[in-house]
Every structure is written in structure tokens, then in C-alpha cells.
Amino acid sequence: MVDSYRPKDLKDALSIRAEYNPQPLAGGTDLMVRYQSWSGTLPLFTKSVMFVGHLKEMKYIKKEAKDKTVTLVIGGTATLTDVANHPDTPVVLKEAVLSIAAPALRNNATLTGNICNASPAGDSICALYALDAVIVIEKSGSRREVPITEFITGPGRTILGPDELVTAIKIPLKASSVNDFTKVGTRRANALSKLSFTGVADYKNGRIDSIALTFGAVGPTVVRSVELEKKLIGLSGPELKAMIPKVIDDYSTVIVPIDDQRSTAVYRKKVALNLLEKYLKELSSHE
Amino acid sequence: MVGAIHELPIKGWIDTKGVKMGARISIPVRRIDAKEKAGGWTKYIGDYQFKNLQHGRFLRSERARAKIIEIKKPDFPEGYYYIDASDIPSSGKNNIQMIKDDWRVFAVSDVKYIGETIAVILGPDKQKVLDLLNRIEVIYEDLVPAFTFDDALSCKGGAVYGDNNIFSEYLLNVGNVDNAFKDAVKIVEGKYETGFQEHLYMETQGLVGAWEDEKITIYASSQCPFYIRKSVAVTLGVPVEDIRVRQTTTGGAFGGKEHFPDVIATPLAVAVNKVKKPVAMIYDRIEDISFTSKRHPSKITIKTGLDKSNNIIAMDIDTLVNGGAYESSTTIVLQRAILHGIGVYNIPNARIRGRAVATNTFPSDAYRGFGAPQGLFAIEMHMSHVADELGLDSSDFRRKHFIKTNDITITNAKMHDDVKLPEMFEKIDEMSDYSSKVKEFANDPVKGIGIAFVNHGGGFTGNGEQAIIKGVVKMKRLEGGKAGLYVSVVEMGQGLQTTMRKIAAKELGLDYEDIVYDNPDTDIVPDSGPTCASRSIMVVGFLVQECAKKLKAKWNEGVGVEAEDVYKHPDGLVWEQETLQGDAYPSYGWGINVIEVEFDPVTYEVKTTGIWAVWDIGVAIDETIMQGQSSGGVIQALGYASIEKCELKNGTFMQHTMADYTIPTSLDFPKVETCFIDNPYKYGPSGAKGAGELVFDAAPPAYAEAVQNAIGKRIYDIPVTPEMIMEALK
Amino acid sequence: MKEIKFILNGKEVSVKADPLKRLLDVLREDEKMTGVKEGCGEGECGACAVLKDGVLVNSCMIPLGAAEGSEIVTPEGIRETDKGKCIIDAFGDAGAVQCGFCTPGMMMATEALLTINNKPDESEIREALSGNLCRCTGYDLIVKGVQIASERGKDLW
Ligand SMILES: Cc1cc2nc3c(=O)[nH]c(=O)nc-3n(C[C@H](O)[C@H](O)[C@H](O)COP(=O)(O)OP(=O)(O)OC[C@H]3O[C@@H](n4cnc5c(N)ncnc54)[C@H](O)[C@@H]3O)c2cc1C
Ligand code: FES
Ligand code: FES
């Protein structure tokens, strides 16, 4: 049996976190499964727990404009349903979130939880990598902002300190005309990912102005290669089209999946590259 | 005579409260149990409150094949028990009396599969039971396990069973196969494999054993209360009357609660016998997926010889099923697999060799269809492959070979059924537009359509109903113009509480709600046999109908008057059990499914875009209930054919959570368009035949054929996963 | 052990239990609300579905402490309301109920769906039920049950 805490507000939560380092529990949809024990017995948590899902201060989604950039700020306890329903949620994130589980689960699970769980198969993460999401981390008296690519360090691992909480996720809202999120799951709905793919890109004056390509569940963390993306910036549609085989080749060296109970490495790799190819073809026909 | 074709009242809804029977029996009524179940009033095994309830959990083998060297136990606090084979009374035995009794109640000195019961740990507090269990250490000496068909046949690590790992072997033969092959101008061969399938009833396995009135009462989520009674009595070495089994409302079973509850009930009874307190053994989901029986995997090779006119003149089939570590019902499953081995075809010269093998895997057991789905998958795919090889239309080719009334079957008997497959084909063709879609999709890069034709023998194989079961039913006139119905077959979702009432009410001229039919209690009801083999309506329902007639004749004798009816095999049927010769089943249900799919060349995923089913089940006792059986059976079968992957790795199932063992959701498949044709059977109530398993049989091959046509590559195995399709397209 | 209060089917209850105890177990064991079923204990099946502050959730995923102060509605809390009766009758007439183990959860999912969309089409119904697994029916007649409930219950939701 472990202790549990129910802070009355965020401030309280941060001080409890600093004092006792309990594990935050938001929707519980990862933790209750991870520590599941014999039905009818208590979950086998290994350290104390702090409930955070009820903290109202973090249950918001809002737009912030600063200089010329508009940012969507998703509070630390916003649920997946909140994110899916918000009109300003970028389409790839919306699709990613809606691909997670089923309504009852999304009503309870938080976006923060999906990120902090840091599963390579976390569906929102695949989209958030492509959207350059930034994680807002707080502890009593201080606050830092870290790009998601730095926040997640490995399967199930993040840089979160034992006294810190994630209080928000920031997503810069950028123009993006060709968007794709595709999840290949173990069945058509309510399924865990075999792999996922996100592509977002925009043209300016007939040339690719921005592009992000990410792959979920094909490596220890979401795969994104800014280096390979850079090679595509500035290309016109026809130029891109001519380069597709080369791009696929390049990506085939960075995608190194594994076999598990849900799929095989060969399949994951092949389909990831197929999805990339499909997206790039689609992209090359736009301008 | 072409049977009347009834479309189901799919569009409108029924408003049948208080419908009197007497009209056409198929007209739907509201299920008697619907309201109580929907509102959550109905109690399942986990919902009952027992005073002083103890919780039991199994100590299980962690090795597939090993000697037990030592079991190190912590001290057990007062009120906590470790129960093992040494607690079986001297009059009893450490065997579970199922069809065979080789499965042990508790493993002693060695283990044969991962998950085998070694002991029961029990006590009042679940957490303490778990802590004790975790502190027990079993020291093993590993032996070399056998998992695959090849392992079994080569007796890897020494035989698991007998001296050759063959639980049973049969050879069926009709005509002269060797001679016929000599005349063949073309020979086509194929090898077909099917995998494990988990039942995944929504209510997990659960039993509570109690010490009541100086005897053991088992409350069980079960298909077969009398099976449990028998196995517990044998284990404890007491007369069956000393054991009482009460079925509790069962949240799905599909064969998984036919024999398997005996595997829980026997150690549970040993425990209750010792502690004289109520003990619950209720599995949670992970335990249920990891440690219960699955459908038998199969490997079937078929060789077909054809003459100049593309007629099949010879067929040679080799069937293997994997029974796992203990035989239990495997031999009967094998029988059904081979008795359905040539499907719905008239093959003049055919031979089937069937073997059931032993391995160190979790023992396989009953699952809706009981071997027939495996046999039918192989033959249907093979017929499709032969047609393809000959450049013929797959359905034309199969239709040309349809068995007809009075043709000779694989067991050298006449087909007695009035076979209506041609009319059924016309119907499904009209519903699904099959024939024109076949042409339309021939050159379509992503679309495909498939068809399968099946039959399913109702009731026990051969004369089993007469020789083994001898079912009895009883009825009684009760107060207030009601009648009591006493049978041992159970409601498990298939609608028996309603359909049995309809059958009885129709004869008695009562309202179906005036028939009293409680969950069976072995102290009250006679043994009408188990709830399995698609026998409940056809066999027991007929007894109920006949019994109701008798009661009706005596009705005026007043309240309390009783009637009884005992099974009598239909006249003129012959059967030789040793050689499996004669009339294999009293009658068959028949079915055709058409399935349409679209495949995604980017992800290799398959989307099912249309499902059609036409069934001949004699007469539907209730069209809505049968619609539910059709949709439910077909979707469960499509799961088997597509997403229900259950792989064994080193003797453990890799998929052991519901997240990894995926069954269809509401979004995986579209609606099943269903139609029934009437074809009344003389010895079924109002003409009804078996239906519950038939509805599972056709979808897997129809789906696989549809995918095959979509991707342009032959399919030999199920489940057809996207991974497999990718490999096929390489 | 802590004393935790929440509102259950409209009445405040106070439960003395470990805050990490699953709400599912609290409802079934402490409150005897056995209409809430356990099908998986891992969030997959929806048999344990309840409403929490008006939205559908799986009670096996929620520790009691996370439900403190919230309003929980179980099948027992809606089966005797007009909406509950409408759904139950519709399920009965559609033939949506077979073994029945999934059905109370299906009723909760239907109530949750009709609350936000009282005229769902077939695909919206299938989407709304996608977290409620049923092994018996193949879903067709459950979908039909929801359609009937939505037609008959026009004025209820
Ligand atoms: C049936 C089922 C299906 C699922 N399907 C999918 C799927 O398809 N795709 C997918 O990606 N995931 C899926 N999941 C996983 C899960 O639902 C998601 O990861 C979910 O978003 C987690 O959110 P939560 O609020 O429930 O997290 P919790 O379980 O509460 O927490 C998850 C992790 O986040 C940490 N955490 C939570 N809040 C904070 C905070 N504010 N600050 C710091 N750390 C915090 C916790 O300590 C924990 O490590 C599924 C889970 C289940 C049970
Ligand atoms: S028991 Fe909660 S979702 Fe299955
Ligand atoms: S009715 Fe049995 S699981 Fe749905």
C-alpha cells in the first residue's frame, strides 16, 4: 500500500510534489493498467501517488498570440476529448487524438499523460513531434519550456524531475496545407498502434516552405529527422516528385522497428515507408 | 419444394409484449431476459454475495515441460490454505472426468504445460492470498518441450502422450481413391493452417464452491452443470447425488464453458471439501486469456484429382489438430473436423486421415464449431484454389459438385437432408449481387468478393445422443395456469430461455411468459445433456415439444401433474462409432456467406465492405434471436479469420491482454445482411435444426477468398493479417 | 484508508477505503452496484462504464481518490429513469441483449451518446459504442436498439 495525495490546487500540488515526489496520476489510463494486479486487489503502485486530474487551473485550452506567432496552449489536465473537440486543434493532432482508444477512455485520459507516458506507440506524440510542440514544466518557484523532442528521452523516459509537473503543452499554429496522420492499428478502432505516421507541410511561392515527417512505434521514440526534412525545403512539387525514391531510401536507414506481439519489424518498416511515399506523392501534387 | 424465404423485420421494430403463441413460431418476441440484463439487475457469478467468502487462486506451472523437484512454501497464517493433490480424499482420484480423464486436477511431480494447476491458495483476503502465492517457489528440472505439429510428430523430447503423441487417429474412405487418382488428368494440392482462437466471452470463467446442507454446491458460469457434477463427484470419489451444481446466468461461453469449468471446479471442490467454507475462483481477464483452452489449431493437406471435364474424381485429405497436453475432448473435435472434411460436396472417391496430436501447449478444447470450422476452412479454400488452377469460376465449380439428397457421404451413408443449397445460392446472389461483382472486381486492384458454402451436423456425432447422452426433460403444471420446464441446457446468450419457452408455450397454448424455466440446478432438473453441439433446440427442444404435448394431454388432471420425455434416435439411422461409419448426424444446418472487401495497398489492411448470409436452419424458433446468432457468429468468425491472432511462443500465448488479443469492435465490420429459408426438419421442434455453430462456419473461408481475390494471391492460412498480405505481395 | 465522499446516483456517499482502490471495486463491493461489470480491468471493454460528471468513463481506470467529489452514475442510477427505460425497452425490442454481460455498459454508452447527439446515424452509433465490446451480438442489433431508442426518445434527450 502506498500513500496518495489529493492537492487542492496547482500550488499545493507543486509543493507536495517537491516534498514527497509522488507519481502524478491524471486520467490513470496508463498507470492503472501498468500497476494492475489481481482483480479486486489494489493496484501495485511502487511509490506514492498524487491525483492531478481534478486540478481545474490546468483544465483549459486557449490561443495565445505573441509577436507574429499564434500558439495553442493546452493545459496540463485537458483530456483527449477536450483536445479533439477544440476548434483550433491542428488537424493532425485532432486525428491522432481521435485514433486513441474510444470515447470513454478519451473522456478521462489527458494529453499530458499520453506525453509523459512516453510510449513509442503514443499516438498524440507522433503528431506533437511534427507540430514542434513545447512542454511547459513547472516546479515550486520555477518554470521551463522544453521541445517535446528533448522532453522524451526514450521509451517511458522523460527529463521530468521528481519535483516537477507538466502544466501545459504549447503548439505553434503554423500554416500547413498538406496534412496527414495515419495510424495503423491492431484493428479498425479502439486499437493500439502497430505504427503511425504524421506529415505536415506548407508551400510558399511554389516551393516547400516547411515540412515535418514523423513516425511512431517504429523506434524507441518517435522518429523525426530534421536533417532529412531540410533537404526537402525549397523544392517545388515536381522536384520533390523526382526525389521521392531517394527520400524513401534515406528514411529507410532511420526507421529501425522491432518485432513484438502486435506486429513485425518488416511490416512496420515497409508500411512506414509506404505511408511516407503516399504522403510525398500527395504533397508533390500540391503547390 | 422451395422453402418460403423470410426477410427479417430489420427496419421496423417489434412490439410484442404479451404475444400469444400459436401463430408462426418464428415471429419474434421480446427476450424474456432482456430487461433484467440490460438494466444490470441480472446477477452473474461475481455479483452474488456469499457470507464468509474465501478467494482462491491457482499456483500454476511456469514451465511447459519439467519435473517438479521441490515446492518451497512460506508459513501460511491461520485461515489461509495450500490445497493440492494430497487433499483429494482417498476415495477420489486426481483426474478430471471429462470425455477423457487424462487431465489432472493438480500436477504432481511433473508439469506438462505452462499454466497447469499445481495447487490452490485460498483465504479471506485476496491481497494476502496473492502475497502468499508470490512467495511460493517451485524448483523445476526442465525437460524438452514439444509445441508444434512437427515437434509432436517427431516426438521431440520424448512422447507427451502414449508412445507417439497421437491422441487419436481415424481413416475415412469412400470409393476407391488410389484407383481414381490413377485416372486423374490433373492434380491440385494445398496445405491449410488455422490458429488458436480465444473465446473471449465477456464474462470470464468463474465458479464458487460452497458447503451447504452438508454437501458441496458449485455455483458456476457454465454450459453443462451435469458435466461439472460428474467430474467433481469422480474427483472426490462420491456419488453424483452428493454434488449439487447450480448454473448462474452465464455471460457468454462459445464452448469455453463446456468442459473447461471442470478444470476449475475439481480443484475448487477439493478445496471446499477441506475448508468447508465458500470459495470463489473467478478469473480476471489476463488469467482467462493466458490460462484457458483455445480452439484447436489445425494443419490440413488436401490433394485433388480431376478428370478431363474438370470434375473432381478423387480427394485425399490429411488432417492434424493440436490437442495440447491433455486429450479431454480433442478426439471428438477431430471427428467433427474430418466429418466436415469434404464440406458440402459429393466426392465419389475420398479419403481423410485425421490425427490429433499431443504437445506441451495449453490443452485445446471446445469452441463454437468444434473442429468443423477448421475442416471447412481447408476444403473451401481448396475448392477455390482448384477452381483458380483450372481457370474456372470458383462458385460455379463448387456448385457443380454440391452434394444432393441421397448422395453418398464421407461416412458411406446417404445424405438424408433436403439439400437446398442451389436455392440458397440464388437468394444470396440476389441479395449481394455476387455474380456480377465477381466479374466487376476481377480486374479491380483493391476490391474482392468471396463466397463459402457449409453445412454443420446438429447434435452429437453419430448415435451419441442415444448411446451417451440419453437426454430427459420434464414439465409440470404449476399454479396460476403456468407450466414449469425442467431441462439442464442453459441460457448463455443464445436465447434458450426464450426459445424453449416459446416451444413449450406453443404446444400448451400458453403465453411464453407463463413458462417457468430457471437456470438449471442439478438437484432439480433431469439431465437433458450439455449445452453444446447445436443440440439444445434441435434435440432438447424437440423433447420439450413432445413433453409439452404429453403435459397438455394430462393438463386437466390438475396442478402438479408432470410429464417427461426421453430421447429416441430417429428411425432408420445407423452408426458404427469405432470406424465412424453410417449416419454421422441426424441432420445438418446449411449456410452460404458472401463477403466483400477492399484492401489498402499502402498499409495492407483489409476493410470489409459487405457481409451477406443465408441459412437453412430448418425453421427459426425466433427470427430476431436467429438474426443475433447470425450477426454474432459471423462477426466472431471474421475475428478468427482476420484480427484474432494468438501466437504461441515457448509455450505461452503472446497475446494475453484484451489490448493485444483483439476481437472485433462495432467499427470493424459492417452489418450482416441475413436471410433464412424454411426447410422444416421432422425431428426438430416446429421443424428447427441446429444453428448456433453453423453461423460460425462460412465466414472465415468467404473472407479469405475475398481477400485473395482482392490481392490476387492465394491464401492458405488464417488469420489473414496485414503482415501476411504484405509477405504474399512481395 | 481514507473517508472519501462522492455523489452516487444522486445521493452523497462516503466510503472508507484506500484512495487507490479502483472505483469499479468500490461500486461493486462497497456500494453493491453490481450493474457495473468487470470485463477486463484494463480499459478495453466498457463493461464497467459509468458516467462521471456527466461523461462516459471506465470505472476500472479510475482510482477512488480521483473520483472524490464527483458525480457518478451507474446503470442502477438510470435504469428507472424515463431515459433508462426507453433504452432498455429499445434494446429489448431490437434483440440487442444476448448474454447481457456487456449490456449495462452499452446502456451507459447509449445514454452518453444520446445526451450529446439525440439523432445519431449508424456510423455515429458505431463510433460511440466502439469502446464497448460485445462478443455475442456482432453489434448489429445493439446498433438497431440505439436507433430505436433515439427515435422513441426524441423528447427525452
Ligand atoms: C484501453 C486503452 C487504450 C489505449 N489506447 C491508446 C492508443 O490508442 N494510443 C495511445 O497513444 N495511447 C493509448 N492508451 C494509453 C493512454 O490512454 C494514454 O497514454 C493517455 O493519454 C494517458 O493519459 P492519462 O491522463 O490517463 O495518464 P496517467 O495514467 O494518469 O499518467 C500517465 C503518465 O503521465 C504522468 N503524468 C500525468 N500527468 C502528469 C503531469 N501533469 N505532470 C507530469 N506527469 C504527469 C504520470 O505520472 C504517468 O507517468 C490506451 C490506454 C488504454 C487503457
Ligand atoms: S472492465 Fe473496465 S473497461 Fe473493461
Ligand atoms: S450480449 Fe454477450 S457480450 Fe454483449
Side-chain angles (χ1 to χ4, degrees), chain A residues 150-218:
Chain A
E150 285 167 35
F151 179 73
I152 295 174
T153 55
R157 289 200 307 273
T158 67
I159 58 158
L160 195 74
D163 52 352
E164 293 178 315
L165 283 178
V166 170
T167 53
I169 296 109
K170 289 187 166 181
I171 301 168
L173 296 177
K174 290 187 266 194
S176 167
S177 52
V178 184
N179 302 290
D180 180 30
F181 172 83
T182 302
K183 162 170 170 174
V184 180
T186 46
R187 63 183 160 204
R188 301 197 75 78
N190 198 6
L192 295 177
S193 273
K194 290 177 179 176
L195 74 147
S196 59
F197 167 77
T198 311
V200 290
D202 203 44
Y203 279 99
K204 206 178 243 169
N205 305 324
R207 307 234 155 230
I208 294 174
D209 180 53
S210 66
I211 183 163
L213 303 166
T214 60
F215 304 84
V218 293

Side-chain angles (χ1 to χ4, degrees), chain B residues 14-198:
Chain B
I14 43 170
D15 197 5
T16 53
K17 247 188 99 48
V19 157
K20 284 266 191 256
M21 286 298 91
R24 197 165 65 84
I25 195 152
S26 308
I27 294 172
V29 302
R30 188 185 282 186
R31 279 178 63 129
I32 199 98
D33 51 354
K35 180 181 171 187
E36 299 246 306
K37 283 176 169 176
W41 282 280
T42 304
K43 291 214 183 318
Y44 298 79
I45 187 71
D47 301 336
Y48 287 94
Q49 311 288 330
F50 287 87
K51 234 175 117 182
N52 198 14
L53 185 65
Q54 312 293 302
H55 301 276
R57 196 163 165 93
F58 288 129
L59 171 67
R60 298 176 177 284
S61 161
E62 291 170 321
R63 304 301 166 84
R65 192 178 197 182
K67 284 188 188 146
I68 298 177
I69 303 300
E70 195 195 343
I71 300 177
K72 293 184 182 163
K73 289 175 282 217
D75 286 338
F76 273 54
E78 166 109 28
Y80 290 81
Y81 298 85
Y82 179 97
I83 310 277
D84 66 8
S86 66
D87 296 300
I88 296 174
S90 55
S91 55
K93 49 183 191 166
N94 189 20
N95 300 74
I96 309 173
Q97 181 64 55
M98 299 195 268
I99 289 177
K100 283 284 161 63
D101 73 348
D102 60 334
W103 200 330
R104 293 176 294 182
V105 181
F106 298 100
V108 236
S109 74
D110 71 335
V111 290
K112 293 195 167 79
Y113 65 92
I114 291 178
E116 183 163 15
T117 307
I118 298 174
V120 179
I121 317 302
L122 72 90
D125 183 82
K126 276 188 156 185
Q127 189 59 53
K128 291 206 179 106
V129 169
L130 195 58
D131 294 344
L132 284 167
L133 187 61
N134 290 337
R135 285 163 53 207
I136 296 173
E137 195 189 346
V138 183
I139 316 284
Y140 300 96
E141 181 188 315
D142 282 317
L143 302 169
V144 177
F147 297 128
T148 63
F149 286 112
D150 290 344
D151 292 353
L153 293 175
S154 65
C155 289
K156 187 174 169 194
V160 182
Y161 173 88
D163 53 14
N164 60 359
N165 276 340
I166 308 286
F167 283 131
S168 43
E169 173 159 9
Y170 290 100
L171 193 69
L172 299 178
N173 186 77
V174 61
N176 190 328
V177 176
D178 293 324
N179 276 354
F181 267 111
K182 283 183 201 141
D183 297 336
V185 298
K186 191 169 179 76
I187 291 178
V188 183
E189 234 183 300
K191 191 185 279 175
Y192 307 90
E193 288 191 44
T194 64
F196 288 106
Q197 185 184 21
E198 162 56 30

Side-chain angles (χ1 to χ4, degrees), chain A residues 39 187 261-263 267, chain B residues 126 602-603 660 663 668 723:
Chain A
S39 150
R187 63 183 160 204
Q261 74 276 26
R262 280 176 217 139
S263 190
Y267 175 83
Chain B
K126 276 188 156 185
V602 175
T603 62
D660 288 335
I663 64 164
D668 282 275
E723 287 80 0

Side-chain angles (χ1 to χ4, degrees), chain A residues 103-117:
Chain A
L105 200 108
R106 297 196 292 269
N107 287 339
N108 193 32
T110 61
L111 185 67
T112 305
N114 198 240
I115 298 166
C116 294
N117 193 47

Side-chain angles (χ1 to χ4, degrees), chain B residues 518-551:
Chain B
D518 296 327
N519 289 339
D521 173 339
T522 56
D523 271 10
I524 294 174
V525 302
D527 187 354
S528 3
T531 318
C532 66
S534 305
R535 66 183 292 277
S536 303
I537 287 294
M538 184 181 97
V539 176
V540 184
F542 188 67
L543 295 181
V544 168
Q545 175 183 293
E546 298 308 297
C547 187
K549 282 181 188 159
K550 288 184 186 168
L551 185 65

